[in-house]
Amino acid sequence: MNLATFRSVARLLPHAVIMCTASGRILAVNPATRRTLDSLRTGVNLYDVVRDTGELRERLAGWLRSGSPLPGVLTVRDGRDRPVRLRCHGARAAWWQGPEPAVQLHLSRLDISDRFVALSQRVRLMNQQMAYRQAIAEQRDLLLRREKEARARMQRLYRLTAALAASATLSDVCDAVYKCAPQALDASDVVLELHSRRVIPSLGPADTLPLAAPLWVDLDRGRDGPPPPASRPGTARCVPLDAESLTLGRLVIEYAPGVEPDVEHTMAVAQQIAQAVRRAGLFEHEHGLAVRLQRSLLPDLPAVPGLEIASGYAPGTHLVDVGGDWYDVHVLGAESIGFTIGDVAGHGITEATAMAQITTALRSIARRCDEHPPTMLAELNDFLGTYHAGLMATACYATYNRRTRTLRYSRAGHPPPLLILADGSSRYLDGALAPPLGPVPFTKFPLKELTVPAHATLVFYTDGLIERRGESLDIGMSRLAQTAGTTVGLTAEATCDLLLHQRVDTELPDDRAVLAVRFPEHADEVDAAST
């Protein structure tokens, strides 16, 4: 409380009320004081108008020490210098924050009121004070309830905002709206209806747009879903979703009976959802472009008689840039086949360009080097250092002689290939390791060779297949070997697909490529296949 509030409250009281400091200076009076005694005015000092200053000093000292009203009697001179006896009830004004303490005095004249009147006035004053305190308490409770409701609404809105900010794909956005929007809007149900052709621009005439997910309705395709707004009972509202001068769809909100929608709040939430939908649509469009470009850079593998070869590529969960993963198969002669897989570090046009040039150069280098992987990697290392200085790539190159079943391989910082035997057991070919291509010129690349068992499958892969955030590569390699044990009896294509899409519910931060080769049982199978 301050003086202005004190004056507002005291103005309604029928009896005299004044505020004065410890030194006697009157800070404020109400209109009833002027009617009671004209000598008591704001700015007047009580010591100048009372008859007994010693008694006043004693009374003020007692009132300043008390938190409850204490009675007393003072004799004050009126404007004609006549003595007037006043009954006083005073207490310290605890709310006062001035430089000097103050007391609040309730006054009544004894010369015109008997004790019964004084008592009646006191009872009436107490009733008024109780009513005033009750009104203050009710107002405080109301403010607390409103503050609590506002805080709860802000928390619900924050949950929706955080979920939308963390959503990258359209599916993520729809899931966030489904889970958080009804609470943020104080609604019983919220339905997201979108124009898929506006949200995700088509990549071409033959491009297939995604079907409407269970959490949203595709307005461009027409799909069984929630009824349109016109057929909804009660207080259903339809709010357009506009972003960048484009109407992406609408938000259909159904409120519970008796709930009055907050229009400004609803429009603010709809704007946030529209921006998230627009952002997710552009992301998926760019992601589709990156995947299409990446796949266009990967080669069509030749058919090799006697060998079953399959390959696959999958982009990272949240990548919109093209990557540097590659794989290829080289027919080196009537009996020799070369296999290569690698990964240029980083993502972007520069890395994709380097990858395309590497695969082109490999086809020339591989035929010159025939069955000697170290020579091939040495020439590729020189090529990368000469034409793409500053870039780094990992690679694995292997040759297979179909007549002798001999596999020879070298690795430049690349994860080891996985050899899966006919009984489902497996082992990594972890030898012949050298530094990655690019940073270290004139690197010596070691060579390892082995005889491939009958009906074995050799899997080449990039590190995106075994990497997880916050997890070591050893765990990823163990998981891959465990999954490989379930591929017994599968074709090379089925094996490649199974390994490429293992743990589809996991967020994979990098793109991944797989090259799977299934070998025949006997060498004469090669002759039969070739004839």
Side-chain angles (χ1 to χ4, degrees):
M1 187 185 295
N2 51 33
L3 280 178
T5 306
F6 173 82
R7 292 190 181 96
S8 299
V9 174
R11 181 173 56 84
L12 305 175
L13 300 178
H15 58 276
V17 179
I18 70 172
M19 274 279 300
C20 70
T21 65
S23 61
R25 183 170 61 89
I26 298 177
L27 299 174
V29 300
N30 67 341
T33 302
R34 293 191 293 270
R35 294 193 299 268
T36 301
L37 200 62
D38 56 356
S39 61
L40 298 179
R41 299 184 303 275
T42 302
V44 172
N45 195 300
L46 283 178
Y47 284 96
D48 297 332
V49 296
V50 298
R51 172 174 291 183
D52 188 349
T53 58
E55 182 183 15
L56 175 60
R57 185 175 298 104
E58 181 180 350
R59 296 295 184 192
L60 285 176
W63 290 330
L64 287 171
R65 290 192 301 268
S66 175
S68 302
L70 296 178
V73 177
L74 291 177
T75 302
V76 182
R77 294 188 298 272
D78 62 8
R80 299 181 182 180
D81 203 27
R82 293 176 301 184
V84 177
R85 287 178 59 80
L86 298 175
R87 181 178 296 278
C88 311
H89 287 81
R92 183 188 180 105
W95 52 266
W96 173 248
Q97 300 294 327
E100 187 178 8
V103 297
Q104 180 176 315
L105 297 177
H106 297 256
L107 309 174
S108 59
R109 295 182 62 143
L110 292 177
D111 56 341
I112 60 174
S113 302
D114 57 19
R115 292 187 176 183
F116 178 77
V117 173
L119 181 60
S120 299
Q121 291 177 346
R122 184 175 180 182
V123 171
R124 189 163 52 250
L125 174 61
M126 292 176 61
N127 291 335
Q128 290 174 347
Q129 288 179 339
M130 291 177 61
Y132 173 73
R133 291 176 180 176
Q134 183 177 0
I136 292 295
E138 292 176 353
Q139 186 69 18
R140 181 190 60 192
D141 293 341
L142 177 61
L143 292 176
L144 288 176
R145 286 196 302 271
R146 290 180 177 176
E147 181 183 357
K148 185 176 180 180
E149 292 172 358
R151 188 183 300 112
R153 170 181 275 194
M154 288 299 297
Q155 290 176 347
R156 296 193 295 269
L157 181 60
Y158 173 76
R159 283 194 290 269
L160 173 62
T161 303
L164 292 176
S167 300
T169 65
L170 184 59
S171 177
D172 294 338
V173 172
C174 295
D175 186 65
V177 172
Y178 174 77
K179 292 180 178 178
C180 303
Q183 293 83 3
L185 292 169
D186 299 323
S188 57
D189 189 24
V190 173
V191 177
L192 194 59
E193 300 180 351
L194 302 174
H195 293 281
S196 61
R197 299 183 185 276
R198 301 178 191 174
V199 173
I200 307 176
S202 175
L203 297 177
D207 187 41
T208 301
L209 294 174
L211 294 176
L215 301 181
W216 62 285
V217 176
D218 191 342
L219 297 175
D220 290 336
R221 287 177 174 268
R223 178 179 179 272
D224 294 336
S231 64
R232 290 178 179 271
T235 56
R237 298 291 180 92
C238 186
V239 182
L241 299 176
D242 298 327
E244 301 178 6
S245 303
L246 185 67
T247 300
L248 304 176
R250 59 196 179 194
L251 194 66
V252 181
I253 310 168
E254 186 172 352
Y255 295 96
V259 175
E260 185 65 26
D262 186 335
V263 177
E264 293 185 1
H265 179 70
T266 302
M267 294 303 298
V269 171
Q271 185 64 29
Q272 285 192 17
I273 295 175
Q275 292 174 358
V277 169
R278 180 61 172 167
R279 185 173 62 250
L282 293 176
F283 170 85
E284 295 205 6
H285 178 67
E286 293 176 5
H287 189 267
L289 287 175
V291 172
R292 180 169 295 188
L293 176 59
Q294 181 75 51
R295 287 176 175 163
S296 69
L297 296 175
L298 296 174
D300 293 327
L301 301 183
V304 180
L307 294 180
E308 188 180 344
I309 303 175
S311 63
Y313 166 81
T317 308
H318 288 159
L319 292 181
V320 295
D321 291 327
V322 287
D325 290 19
W326 84 80
Y327 53 80
D328 206 351
V329 175
H330 309 281
V331 180
L332 305 178
E335 298 179 354
S336 298
I337 305 296
F339 307 103
T340 179
I341 193 166
D343 181 11
V344 178
H347 292 85
I349 297 299
T350 301
E351 289 75 10
T353 303
M355 180 268 284
Q357 294 179 1
I358 286 173
T359 55
T360 302
L362 270 173
R363 295 188 173 184
S364 173
I365 298 173
R367 297 188 68 86
R368 292 200 311 272
C369 299
D370 196 17
E371 295 188 34
H372 197 254
T375 304
M376 196 281 298
L377 290 181
E379 289 199 28
L380 189 59
N381 186 43
D382 181 65
F383 172 82
L384 194 65
T386 301
Y387 296 102
H388 296 282
L391 287 184
M392 183 181 71
T394 65
C396 178
Y397 184 72
T399 61
Y400 175 71
N401 188 293
R402 296 189 291 170
R403 178 67 58 185
T404 64
R405 304 183 65 86
T406 300
L407 181 77
R408 312 175 78 194
Y409 69 95
S410 294
R411 294 188 297 138
H414 201 78
L418 180 63
L419 183 64
I420 308 173
L421 304 180
D423 60 357
S425 61
S426 61
R427 64 186 178 94
Y428 284 101
L429 307 184
D430 53 3
L433 179 62
L437 303 173
V440 183
F442 311 112
T443 301
K444 299 292 184 178
F445 293 93
L447 175 68
K448 282 283 186 178
E449 66 177 50
L450 69 151
T451 301
V452 179
H455 292 308
T457 301
L458 185 60
V459 178
F460 301 89
Y461 56 92
T462 56
D463 57 3
L465 191 68
I466 56 176
E467 279 186 341
R468 301 290 188 276
R469 286 193 176 96
E471 183 180 273
S472 69
L473 288 180
D474 291 339
I475 298 177
M477 294 175 66
S478 298
R479 179 171 53 247
L480 178 60
Q482 183 178 4
T483 306
T486 64
T487 62
V488 176
L490 297 181
T491 63
E493 183 176 356
T495 298
C496 181
D497 186 68
L498 175 64
L499 298 181
L500 190 66
H501 298 97
Q502 59 174 318
R503 293 185 67 179
V504 295
D505 58 334
T506 304
E507 181 177 315
L508 301 174
D510 199 0
D511 44 5
R512 53 208 185 275
V514 176
L515 176 65
V517 184
R518 184 174 174 83
F519 297 93
E521 181 176 2
H522 301 294
D524 54 4
E525 293 183 29
V526 176
D527 296 334
S530 60
T531 57

